[in-house]
Amino acid sequence: MADLYALDLAFDLLASTPDDVLAQVRRQLTSPDGLLAARGPAWRVGGMLVGEFAPTDRGGWALTARQEVHAEQLPDVENLLLLLAPHVRPPGPVGRLRFYEHESPDLLVLRKGRVVQLALDPR
């Protein structure tokens, strides 16, 4: 049995985000072992695996990623989101996480410096 999740992230970072934090995002998107580096068809969750990071017209940065992550990587995902949390504009929802066998995802929300996973009502 595979413990795989579909991870969808979409949020903006402030223009004041420190260079070392931006470098960490870029590393996660480009290094072979990066959490956000996979590209192409997903193995179990369906759809494509993508990751984009670009400056916005308002200043700051936009991050959008869809990845397939193993349960063992979830602490690393949380650590990345905690690193980014102080720089997310505005604070609040940052993405979704769906176990590959489930129909509905959980919402990922930044609250008071923590990543909170909220189950969506499947109705």
Short mmCIF file of all heavy atoms in Angstrom, two decimals, residues 46-108:
data_model
loop_
_atom_site.label_atom_id
_atom_site.label_comp_id
_atom_site.label_asym_id
_atom_site.label_seq_id
_atom_site.Cartn_x
_atom_site.Cartn_y
_atom_site.Cartn_z
N GLY A 46 -2.80 11.11 -9.92
CA GLY A 46 -3.39 11.63 -11.14
C GLY A 46 -2.91 13.04 -11.47
O GLY A 46 -2.37 13.74 -10.62
N GLY A 47 -3.09 13.42 -12.70
CA GLY A 47 -2.71 14.76 -13.13
C GLY A 47 -1.21 14.93 -13.28
O GLY A 47 -0.45 13.97 -13.32
N MET A 48 -0.80 16.17 -13.35
CA MET A 48 0.61 16.52 -13.56
C MET A 48 1.23 17.05 -12.28
O MET A 48 0.55 17.65 -11.45
CB MET A 48 0.72 17.60 -14.65
CG MET A 48 0.26 17.14 -16.03
SD MET A 48 1.29 15.85 -16.72
CE MET A 48 2.80 16.76 -17.05
N LEU A 49 2.54 16.86 -12.18
CA LEU A 49 3.32 17.42 -11.08
C LEU A 49 4.02 18.66 -11.62
O LEU A 49 4.70 18.60 -12.65
CB LEU A 49 4.34 16.40 -10.57
CG LEU A 49 3.73 15.07 -10.13
CD1 LEU A 49 4.83 14.11 -9.68
CD2 LEU A 49 2.70 15.26 -9.05
N VAL A 50 3.83 19.78 -10.95
CA VAL A 50 4.35 21.06 -11.42
C VAL A 50 4.90 21.87 -10.25
O VAL A 50 4.59 21.60 -9.09
CB VAL A 50 3.26 21.89 -12.15
CG1 VAL A 50 2.72 21.16 -13.35
CG2 VAL A 50 2.13 22.23 -11.21
N GLY A 51 5.67 22.89 -10.57
CA GLY A 51 6.14 23.84 -9.58
C GLY A 51 6.60 25.10 -10.29
O GLY A 51 7.44 25.04 -11.17
N GLU A 52 6.01 26.22 -9.91
CA GLU A 52 6.35 27.51 -10.51
C GLU A 52 6.57 28.54 -9.40
O GLU A 52 5.84 28.56 -8.41
CB GLU A 52 5.23 28.00 -11.43
CG GLU A 52 5.00 27.13 -12.65
CD GLU A 52 6.13 27.19 -13.66
OE1 GLU A 52 6.83 28.22 -13.71
OE2 GLU A 52 6.32 26.20 -14.38
N PHE A 53 7.55 29.40 -9.61
CA PHE A 53 7.89 30.44 -8.65
C PHE A 53 8.33 31.65 -9.45
O PHE A 53 9.30 31.57 -10.23
CB PHE A 53 9.01 29.95 -7.75
CG PHE A 53 9.35 30.84 -6.60
CD1 PHE A 53 8.39 31.22 -5.68
CD2 PHE A 53 10.65 31.29 -6.43
CE1 PHE A 53 8.71 32.03 -4.61
CE2 PHE A 53 10.98 32.09 -5.36
CZ PHE A 53 10.01 32.47 -4.45
N ALA A 54 7.62 32.76 -9.31
CA ALA A 54 7.91 33.93 -10.13
C ALA A 54 7.55 35.21 -9.39
O ALA A 54 6.68 35.21 -8.51
CB ALA A 54 7.11 33.85 -11.43
N PRO A 55 8.20 36.32 -9.76
CA PRO A 55 7.83 37.60 -9.17
C PRO A 55 6.42 38.01 -9.61
O PRO A 55 5.98 37.65 -10.70
CB PRO A 55 8.88 38.58 -9.71
CG PRO A 55 9.58 37.88 -10.81
CD PRO A 55 9.30 36.43 -10.72
N THR A 56 5.74 38.76 -8.75
CA THR A 56 4.40 39.25 -9.07
C THR A 56 4.45 40.71 -9.48
O THR A 56 5.44 41.40 -9.22
CB THR A 56 3.45 39.12 -7.86
OG1 THR A 56 3.87 40.02 -6.84
CG2 THR A 56 3.41 37.70 -7.32
N ASP A 57 3.38 41.18 -10.10
CA ASP A 57 3.28 42.59 -10.49
C ASP A 57 3.16 43.50 -9.27
O ASP A 57 3.46 44.69 -9.36
CB ASP A 57 2.05 42.80 -11.39
CG ASP A 57 2.21 42.12 -12.74
OD1 ASP A 57 3.34 41.80 -13.12
OD2 ASP A 57 1.17 41.90 -13.40
N ARG A 58 2.70 42.97 -8.15
CA ARG A 58 2.49 43.75 -6.93
C ARG A 58 3.75 43.81 -6.06
O ARG A 58 3.73 44.36 -4.98
CB ARG A 58 1.36 43.14 -6.10
CG ARG A 58 0.04 43.07 -6.81
CD ARG A 58 -1.03 42.36 -5.97
NE ARG A 58 -0.63 41.06 -5.47
CZ ARG A 58 -0.67 39.92 -6.16
NH1 ARG A 58 -1.05 39.92 -7.41
NH2 ARG A 58 -0.32 38.79 -5.60
N GLY A 59 4.82 43.18 -6.50
CA GLY A 59 5.99 43.02 -5.66
C GLY A 59 5.82 41.71 -4.91
O GLY A 59 4.71 41.27 -4.66
N GLY A 60 6.89 41.06 -4.58
CA GLY A 60 6.79 39.77 -3.92
C GLY A 60 6.87 38.64 -4.93
O GLY A 60 7.28 38.84 -6.09
N TRP A 61 6.46 37.48 -4.50
CA TRP A 61 6.64 36.26 -5.27
C TRP A 61 5.39 35.41 -5.21
O TRP A 61 4.73 35.35 -4.18
CB TRP A 61 7.81 35.47 -4.69
CG TRP A 61 9.08 36.25 -4.71
CD1 TRP A 61 9.52 37.15 -3.77
CD2 TRP A 61 10.03 36.27 -5.75
NE1 TRP A 61 10.70 37.70 -4.16
CE2 TRP A 61 11.05 37.18 -5.37
CE3 TRP A 61 10.15 35.59 -6.95
CZ2 TRP A 61 12.16 37.42 -6.16
CZ3 TRP A 61 11.25 35.83 -7.74
CH2 TRP A 61 12.25 36.74 -7.33
N ALA A 62 5.10 34.71 -6.28
CA ALA A 62 3.97 33.78 -6.33
C ALA A 62 4.53 32.36 -6.44
O ALA A 62 5.42 32.10 -7.25
CB ALA A 62 3.08 34.08 -7.53
N LEU A 63 4.01 31.46 -5.62
CA LEU A 63 4.40 30.05 -5.64
C LEU A 63 3.17 29.20 -5.91
O LEU A 63 2.14 29.35 -5.23
CB LEU A 63 5.03 29.64 -4.31
CG LEU A 63 5.36 28.14 -4.17
CD1 LEU A 63 6.46 27.74 -5.14
CD2 LEU A 63 5.73 27.81 -2.75
N THR A 64 3.26 28.34 -6.88
CA THR A 64 2.23 27.35 -7.16
C THR A 64 2.93 26.03 -7.41
O THR A 64 3.88 25.97 -8.20
CB THR A 64 1.38 27.74 -8.38
OG1 THR A 64 0.73 28.97 -8.12
CG2 THR A 64 0.34 26.67 -8.68
N ALA A 65 2.48 25.00 -6.72
CA ALA A 65 3.08 23.68 -6.90
C ALA A 65 2.03 22.60 -6.69
O ALA A 65 1.13 22.76 -5.86
CB ALA A 65 4.23 23.48 -5.92
N ARG A 66 2.16 21.54 -7.45
CA ARG A 66 1.36 20.33 -7.24
C ARG A 66 2.34 19.18 -7.27
O ARG A 66 3.05 18.98 -8.26
CB ARG A 66 0.32 20.16 -8.32
CG ARG A 66 -0.53 18.91 -8.08
CD ARG A 66 -1.75 18.85 -8.99
NE ARG A 66 -2.67 17.87 -8.51
CZ ARG A 66 -2.57 16.56 -8.81
NH1 ARG A 66 -1.60 16.12 -9.55
NH2 ARG A 66 -3.47 15.71 -8.33
N GLN A 67 2.40 18.46 -6.17
CA GLN A 67 3.38 17.40 -6.03
C GLN A 67 2.74 16.15 -5.41
O GLN A 67 1.70 16.22 -4.77
CB GLN A 67 4.54 17.85 -5.13
CG GLN A 67 5.35 18.99 -5.70
CD GLN A 67 6.15 18.58 -6.91
OE1 GLN A 67 6.94 17.63 -6.86
NE2 GLN A 67 5.95 19.29 -8.02
N GLU A 68 3.40 15.04 -5.61
CA GLU A 68 3.03 13.78 -5.00
C GLU A 68 4.05 13.54 -3.89
O GLU A 68 5.25 13.45 -4.18
CB GLU A 68 3.10 12.70 -6.07
CG GLU A 68 2.48 11.40 -5.73
CD GLU A 68 2.40 10.53 -6.98
OE1 GLU A 68 3.44 10.24 -7.60
OE2 GLU A 68 1.27 10.15 -7.33
N VAL A 69 3.60 13.49 -2.65
CA VAL A 69 4.54 13.33 -1.54
C VAL A 69 4.18 12.08 -0.75
O VAL A 69 3.01 11.70 -0.63
CB VAL A 69 4.56 14.56 -0.61
CG1 VAL A 69 5.08 15.79 -1.34
CG2 VAL A 69 3.21 14.85 0.01
N HIS A 70 5.20 11.46 -0.20
CA HIS A 70 5.03 10.28 0.64
C HIS A 70 4.77 10.75 2.07
O HIS A 70 5.21 11.83 2.47
CB HIS A 70 6.29 9.41 0.57
CG HIS A 70 6.10 8.07 1.19
ND1 HIS A 70 6.28 7.83 2.52
CD2 HIS A 70 5.71 6.89 0.64
CE1 HIS A 70 6.03 6.56 2.79
NE2 HIS A 70 5.69 5.96 1.66
N ALA A 71 4.09 9.91 2.84
CA ALA A 71 3.78 10.25 4.23
C ALA A 71 5.04 10.63 5.02
O ALA A 71 4.99 11.52 5.88
CB ALA A 71 3.05 9.10 4.91
N GLU A 72 6.17 9.99 4.72
CA GLU A 72 7.41 10.30 5.42
C GLU A 72 7.91 11.71 5.13
O GLU A 72 8.72 12.25 5.88
CB GLU A 72 8.49 9.29 5.04
CG GLU A 72 8.19 7.89 5.54
CD GLU A 72 9.18 6.87 5.04
OE1 GLU A 72 10.03 7.21 4.18
OE2 GLU A 72 9.11 5.72 5.50
N GLN A 73 7.45 12.32 4.04
CA GLN A 73 7.87 13.68 3.68
C GLN A 73 6.98 14.76 4.30
O GLN A 73 7.32 15.94 4.21
CB GLN A 73 7.84 13.85 2.16
CG GLN A 73 8.85 13.00 1.44
CD GLN A 73 8.67 13.10 -0.06
OE1 GLN A 73 7.65 12.67 -0.59
NE2 GLN A 73 9.65 13.69 -0.73
N LEU A 74 5.88 14.37 4.90
CA LEU A 74 4.95 15.38 5.44
C LEU A 74 5.60 16.28 6.49
O LEU A 74 5.34 17.49 6.48
CB LEU A 74 3.69 14.72 5.98
CG LEU A 74 2.81 14.06 4.91
CD1 LEU A 74 1.59 13.37 5.56
CD2 LEU A 74 2.37 15.07 3.87
N PRO A 75 6.46 15.78 7.39
CA PRO A 75 7.15 16.70 8.30
C PRO A 75 8.02 17.72 7.56
O PRO A 75 8.12 18.88 7.98
CB PRO A 75 8.00 15.79 9.19
CG PRO A 75 7.29 14.48 9.16
CD PRO A 75 6.73 14.38 7.76
N ASP A 76 8.64 17.32 6.45
CA ASP A 76 9.45 18.25 5.67
C ASP A 76 8.58 19.31 5.00
O ASP A 76 8.97 20.48 4.90
CB ASP A 76 10.25 17.50 4.60
CG ASP A 76 11.27 16.55 5.20
OD1 ASP A 76 11.77 16.84 6.30
OD2 ASP A 76 11.54 15.52 4.56
N VAL A 77 7.39 18.90 4.54
CA VAL A 77 6.43 19.86 3.97
C VAL A 77 6.03 20.87 5.04
O VAL A 77 6.03 22.08 4.79
CB VAL A 77 5.19 19.14 3.41
CG1 VAL A 77 4.10 20.14 3.05
CG2 VAL A 77 5.56 18.27 2.22
N GLU A 78 5.73 20.37 6.24
CA GLU A 78 5.34 21.28 7.32
C GLU A 78 6.48 22.23 7.66
O GLU A 78 6.25 23.44 7.84
CB GLU A 78 4.92 20.50 8.56
CG GLU A 78 4.46 21.41 9.68
CD GLU A 78 3.89 20.69 10.88
OE1 GLU A 78 4.12 19.48 11.02
OE2 GLU A 78 3.22 21.35 11.68
N ASN A 79 7.70 21.74 7.72
CA ASN A 79 8.85 22.60 8.03
C ASN A 79 9.03 23.69 6.97
O ASN A 79 9.33 24.84 7.30
CB ASN A 79 10.13 21.78 8.17
CG ASN A 79 10.15 20.96 9.44
OD1 ASN A 79 9.46 21.27 10.41
ND2 ASN A 79 10.92 19.90 9.44
N LEU A 80 8.84 23.33 5.70
CA LEU A 80 8.94 24.33 4.64
C LEU A 80 7.86 25.39 4.80
O LEU A 80 8.13 26.59 4.72
CB LEU A 80 8.83 23.67 3.26
CG LEU A 80 8.83 24.62 2.07
CD1 LEU A 80 10.13 25.42 2.00
CD2 LEU A 80 8.58 23.86 0.78
N LEU A 81 6.63 24.96 5.07
CA LEU A 81 5.55 25.93 5.24
C LEU A 81 5.76 26.81 6.47
O LEU A 81 5.45 28.00 6.44
CB LEU A 81 4.20 25.21 5.32
CG LEU A 81 3.75 24.57 4.01
CD1 LEU A 81 2.47 23.77 4.22
CD2 LEU A 81 3.58 25.60 2.92
N LEU A 82 6.32 26.26 7.53
CA LEU A 82 6.62 27.06 8.72
C LEU A 82 7.71 28.09 8.43
O LEU A 82 7.66 29.21 8.94
CB LEU A 82 7.01 26.17 9.89
CG LEU A 82 5.87 25.33 10.48
CD1 LEU A 82 6.40 24.39 11.54
CD2 LEU A 82 4.77 26.21 11.03
N LEU A 83 8.69 27.72 7.60
CA LEU A 83 9.72 28.67 7.20
C LEU A 83 9.11 29.83 6.40
O LEU A 83 9.48 30.99 6.58
CB LEU A 83 10.78 27.95 6.34
CG LEU A 83 11.83 28.83 5.69
CD1 LEU A 83 12.80 29.39 6.73
CD2 LEU A 83 12.57 28.07 4.61
N LEU A 84 8.14 29.49 5.54
CA LEU A 84 7.52 30.51 4.69
C LEU A 84 6.42 31.30 5.39
O LEU A 84 6.08 32.40 4.96
CB LEU A 84 6.96 29.83 3.44
CG LEU A 84 7.99 29.10 2.57
CD1 LEU A 84 7.30 28.39 1.43
CD2 LEU A 84 9.06 30.05 2.08
N ALA A 85 5.84 30.75 6.45
CA ALA A 85 4.66 31.33 7.10
C ALA A 85 4.77 32.83 7.39
O ALA A 85 3.83 33.58 7.10
CB ALA A 85 4.32 30.57 8.38
N PRO A 86 5.87 33.32 7.95
CA PRO A 86 5.93 34.76 8.26
C PRO A 86 5.93 35.66 7.02
O PRO A 86 5.76 36.87 7.14
CB PRO A 86 7.25 34.91 9.02
CG PRO A 86 7.67 33.56 9.41
CD PRO A 86 7.06 32.62 8.43
N HIS A 87 6.13 35.06 5.86
CA HIS A 87 6.27 35.84 4.63
C HIS A 87 5.10 35.68 3.68
O HIS A 87 5.09 36.28 2.60
CB HIS A 87 7.57 35.44 3.93
CG HIS A 87 8.73 35.38 4.88
ND1 HIS A 87 9.28 36.50 5.46
CD2 HIS A 87 9.39 34.31 5.41
CE1 HIS A 87 10.26 36.13 6.28
NE2 HIS A 87 10.34 34.82 6.26
N VAL A 88 4.11 34.87 4.07
CA VAL A 88 2.94 34.64 3.21
C VAL A 88 2.00 35.82 3.28
O VAL A 88 1.72 36.35 4.36
CB VAL A 88 2.21 33.34 3.62
CG1 VAL A 88 0.89 33.19 2.87
CG2 VAL A 88 3.09 32.13 3.36
N ARG A 89 1.50 36.26 2.10
CA ARG A 89 0.57 37.38 2.04
C ARG A 89 -0.72 36.92 1.41
O ARG A 89 -0.68 36.40 0.28
CB ARG A 89 1.17 38.50 1.20
CG ARG A 89 0.20 39.64 0.99
CD ARG A 89 0.65 40.68 0.00
NE ARG A 89 0.96 40.09 -1.29
CZ ARG A 89 1.83 40.59 -2.14
NH1 ARG A 89 2.50 41.67 -1.86
NH2 ARG A 89 2.05 40.02 -3.30
N PRO A 90 -1.84 37.11 2.00
CA PRO A 90 -2.07 37.30 3.44
C PRO A 90 -2.00 35.94 4.13
O PRO A 90 -2.09 34.91 3.45
CB PRO A 90 -3.49 37.85 3.50
CG PRO A 90 -4.18 37.25 2.32
CD PRO A 90 -3.10 37.12 1.25
N PRO A 91 -1.87 35.91 5.45
CA PRO A 91 -1.89 34.62 6.13
C PRO A 91 -3.25 33.95 5.92
O PRO A 91 -4.25 34.63 5.72
CB PRO A 91 -1.67 34.95 7.59
CG PRO A 91 -1.64 36.42 7.70
CD PRO A 91 -1.73 37.02 6.34
N GLY A 92 -3.28 32.67 5.97
CA GLY A 92 -4.53 31.94 5.78
C GLY A 92 -4.28 30.68 4.99
O GLY A 92 -3.23 30.06 5.11
N PRO A 93 -5.22 30.28 4.12
CA PRO A 93 -5.05 29.05 3.35
C PRO A 93 -3.83 29.13 2.42
O PRO A 93 -3.60 30.14 1.78
CB PRO A 93 -6.34 28.96 2.52
CG PRO A 93 -7.32 29.83 3.22
CD PRO A 93 -6.52 30.91 3.88
N VAL A 94 -3.07 28.04 2.40
CA VAL A 94 -1.90 27.99 1.53
C VAL A 94 -1.94 26.81 0.57
O VAL A 94 -1.12 26.72 -0.33
CB VAL A 94 -0.58 27.95 2.34
CG1 VAL A 94 -0.38 29.26 3.08
CG2 VAL A 94 -0.54 26.76 3.28
N GLY A 95 -2.87 25.88 0.80
CA GLY A 95 -2.92 24.74 -0.09
C GLY A 95 -3.87 23.66 0.39
O GLY A 95 -4.68 23.87 1.29
N ARG A 96 -3.71 22.50 -0.26
CA ARG A 96 -4.54 21.33 0.07
C ARG A 96 -3.66 20.09 0.09
O ARG A 96 -2.65 20.02 -0.62
CB ARG A 96 -5.63 21.14 -0.97
CG ARG A 96 -6.58 22.30 -1.08
CD ARG A 96 -7.57 22.07 -2.16
NE ARG A 96 -6.86 21.85 -3.43
CZ ARG A 96 -7.38 22.04 -4.62
NH1 ARG A 96 -8.61 22.40 -4.73
NH2 ARG A 96 -6.69 21.83 -5.72
N LEU A 97 -4.12 19.11 0.88
CA LEU A 97 -3.44 17.83 0.97
C LEU A 97 -4.50 16.73 0.89
O LEU A 97 -5.46 16.75 1.64
CB LEU A 97 -2.67 17.74 2.29
CG LEU A 97 -1.81 16.51 2.50
CD1 LEU A 97 -0.62 16.52 1.55
CD2 LEU A 97 -1.34 16.45 3.94
N ARG A 98 -4.30 15.79 -0.06
CA ARG A 98 -5.29 14.72 -0.25
C ARG A 98 -4.59 13.38 -0.30
O ARG A 98 -3.69 13.17 -1.11
CB ARG A 98 -6.08 14.94 -1.54
CG ARG A 98 -7.11 13.84 -1.82
CD ARG A 98 -7.81 14.05 -3.14
NE ARG A 98 -6.93 14.01 -4.30
CZ ARG A 98 -6.51 12.88 -4.91
NH1 ARG A 98 -6.88 11.71 -4.47
NH2 ARG A 98 -5.71 12.97 -5.97
N PHE A 99 -4.99 12.47 0.61
CA PHE A 99 -4.51 11.10 0.54
C PHE A 99 -4.99 10.52 -0.78
O PHE A 99 -6.13 10.74 -1.18
CB PHE A 99 -5.03 10.30 1.72
CG PHE A 99 -4.53 8.88 1.76
CD1 PHE A 99 -3.18 8.62 1.91
CD2 PHE A 99 -5.41 7.82 1.62
CE1 PHE A 99 -2.71 7.31 1.94
CE2 PHE A 99 -4.95 6.51 1.65
CZ PHE A 99 -3.60 6.25 1.81
N TYR A 100 -4.14 9.80 -1.49
CA TYR A 100 -4.45 9.42 -2.87
C TYR A 100 -5.72 8.59 -3.01
O TYR A 100 -6.32 8.59 -4.08
CB TYR A 100 -3.26 8.72 -3.52
CG TYR A 100 -3.13 7.25 -3.20
CD1 TYR A 100 -3.54 6.28 -4.11
CD2 TYR A 100 -2.59 6.82 -2.00
CE1 TYR A 100 -3.42 4.93 -3.84
CE2 TYR A 100 -2.47 5.47 -1.72
CZ TYR A 100 -2.88 4.53 -2.63
OH TYR A 100 -2.76 3.19 -2.36
N GLU A 101 -6.16 7.90 -1.96
CA GLU A 101 -7.38 7.09 -2.05
C GLU A 101 -8.64 7.87 -1.66
O GLU A 101 -9.74 7.34 -1.80
CB GLU A 101 -7.26 5.85 -1.18
CG GLU A 101 -6.24 4.85 -1.68
CD GLU A 101 -6.16 3.61 -0.83
OE1 GLU A 101 -6.55 3.67 0.36
OE2 GLU A 101 -5.70 2.58 -1.34
N HIS A 102 -8.50 9.08 -1.16
CA HIS A 102 -9.65 9.87 -0.72
C HIS A 102 -10.14 10.77 -1.86
O HIS A 102 -9.37 11.21 -2.71
CB HIS A 102 -9.30 10.72 0.48
CG HIS A 102 -9.02 9.90 1.70
ND1 HIS A 102 -8.50 10.45 2.84
CD2 HIS A 102 -9.16 8.57 1.96
CE1 HIS A 102 -8.35 9.50 3.76
NE2 HIS A 102 -8.73 8.36 3.23
N GLU A 103 -11.43 11.08 -1.80
CA GLU A 103 -12.01 11.96 -2.82
C GLU A 103 -11.82 13.43 -2.52
O GLU A 103 -11.72 14.24 -3.44
CB GLU A 103 -13.51 11.68 -2.95
CG GLU A 103 -13.81 10.34 -3.58
CD GLU A 103 -15.30 10.11 -3.73
OE1 GLU A 103 -16.11 10.93 -3.23
OE2 GLU A 103 -15.67 9.10 -4.34
N SER A 104 -11.80 13.80 -1.24
CA SER A 104 -11.71 15.23 -0.92
C SER A 104 -10.43 15.51 -0.13
O SER A 104 -9.99 14.70 0.68
CB SER A 104 -12.94 15.69 -0.12
OG SER A 104 -13.01 15.00 1.10
N PRO A 105 -9.85 16.69 -0.37
CA PRO A 105 -8.60 17.06 0.31
C PRO A 105 -8.88 17.74 1.65
O PRO A 105 -10.01 18.14 1.96
CB PRO A 105 -7.99 18.07 -0.66
CG PRO A 105 -9.17 18.73 -1.26
CD PRO A 105 -10.23 17.66 -1.39
N ASP A 106 -7.83 17.86 2.44
CA ASP A 106 -7.84 18.70 3.63
C ASP A 106 -7.21 20.03 3.25
O ASP A 106 -6.29 20.09 2.43
CB ASP A 106 -7.02 18.08 4.76
CG ASP A 106 -7.63 16.81 5.32
OD1 ASP A 106 -8.81 16.53 5.03
OD2 ASP A 106 -6.92 16.09 6.04
N LEU A 107 -7.73 21.10 3.82
CA LEU A 107 -7.20 22.43 3.58
C LEU A 107 -6.01 22.67 4.49
O LEU A 107 -6.05 22.32 5.68
CB LEU A 107 -8.31 23.46 3.86
CG LEU A 107 -8.07 24.89 3.47
CD1 LEU A 107 -7.87 25.01 1.97
CD2 LEU A 107 -9.24 25.75 3.91
N LEU A 108 -4.94 23.25 3.96
CA LEU A 108 -3.77 23.63 4.75
C LEU A 108 -3.84 25.13 5.00
O LEU A 108 -3.90 25.91 4.06
CB LEU A 108 -2.48 23.28 4.02
CG LEU A 108 -2.25 21.81 3.70
CD1 LEU A 108 -0.99 21.64 2.88
CD2 LEU A 108 -2.19 20.99 4.97
#
